[in-house]
Amino acid sequence: MPHVPLRERQKKFVDAAIRVIAAEGVAKATTRRIAEVAEMPAASLHYCFHTKEELFQAVFEQALSEGPTKAGRDVIPGMGLRDGAAAVLRGYLDWMLLDRDLQQAQYELIFWALRNPDSRHLARQTYRSYIDATVELLSQARVPDEAGIDLEMLARQILATLDGHAMQWIALDDDRMAAVIENAIVEVRAVLPPLRKEA
């Protein structure tokens, strides 16, 4: 078997873990099953990731490296929060629609992490990273007159909107996600003024 660079092997195992978790759940995502789907030796998986939690963390990291980048694709500095929030919502939507398995695997792993005391930090870290990345995108869009708007509150609202609609999309397997997000954009724009920090 030809030599496969470490990063390439890691990527194959992360991709395989996503597929297995989305299709079969975390409980069935054994190292043997993941290696089988990756078409790589199980020993190689243990070389790339010392523990299964390390592999699961890499799944989260892949999502976190892709999602906010795509979400910020159309954010223009100083465009204002109404347009900025709309751009972020549409960017996240486009990213989510690229890989349904990744979205489902993330939700599966969040609940797995919350049920395992040794892994609860992964759920917290993941959401904290999404919130922080979204706040950063919104801060780029904000204009001086919007300085009093609570960007973390807005970021949480955007992510909660996406989570709720993503779960519907996964469950219903329909093609209405884009239309629903456009409705959500109207709602987010409408609530921007009340999102000011209290003195």
Side-chain angles (χ1 to χ4, degrees), residues 7 19 31 33 38 41 54 81 127 132 134 140 170 172 193-194:
R7 282 189 182 278
R19 305 304 158 227
T31 53
R33 179 70 180 124
E54 199 175 295
L81 284 177
Y127 268 98
D132 291 346
T134 305
Q140 292 172 29
I170 290 167
L172 297 173

Side-chain angles (χ1 to χ4, degrees), residues 125-180:
Q125 285 173 0
T126 298
Y127 268 98
R128 187 72 255 167
S129 295
Y130 274 120
I131 291 167
D132 291 346
T134 305
V135 166
E136 176 56 31
L137 294 173
L138 294 170
S139 70
Q140 292 172 29
R142 180 168 56 184
V143 295
D145 287 350
E146 297 170 322
I149 292 177
D150 186 341
L151 295 186
E152 175 154 336
M153 181 70 76
L154 180 55
R156 284 174 177 243
Q157 183 171 5
I158 286 170
L159 294 170
T161 297
L162 289 162
D163 278 342
H165 294 311
M167 290 298 286
Q168 287 182 37
W169 170 58
I170 290 167
L172 297 173
D173 193 24
D174 66 18
D175 59 358
R176 301 194 67 192
M177 185 77 163
V180 170

Side-chain angles (χ1 to χ4, degrees), residues 93-140:
L93 169 68
D94 289 348
W95 167 67
M96 291 165 66
L97 294 176
L98 288 175
D99 191 343
R100 179 194 210 98
D101 285 352
L102 176 57
Q103 304 310 318
Q104 185 165 340
Q106 280 191 97
Y107 291 121
E108 296 269 0
L109 284 172
I110 288 287
F111 287 112
W112 167 83
L114 290 171
R115 290 186 191 107
N116 290 278
D118 293 340
S119 302
R120 286 181 65 86
H121 65 282
L122 290 177
R124 179 179 291 276
Q125 285 173 0
T126 298
Y127 268 98
R128 187 72 255 167
S129 295
Y130 274 120
I131 291 167
D132 291 346
T134 305
V135 166
E136 176 56 31
L137 294 173
L138 294 170
S139 70
Q140 292 172 29

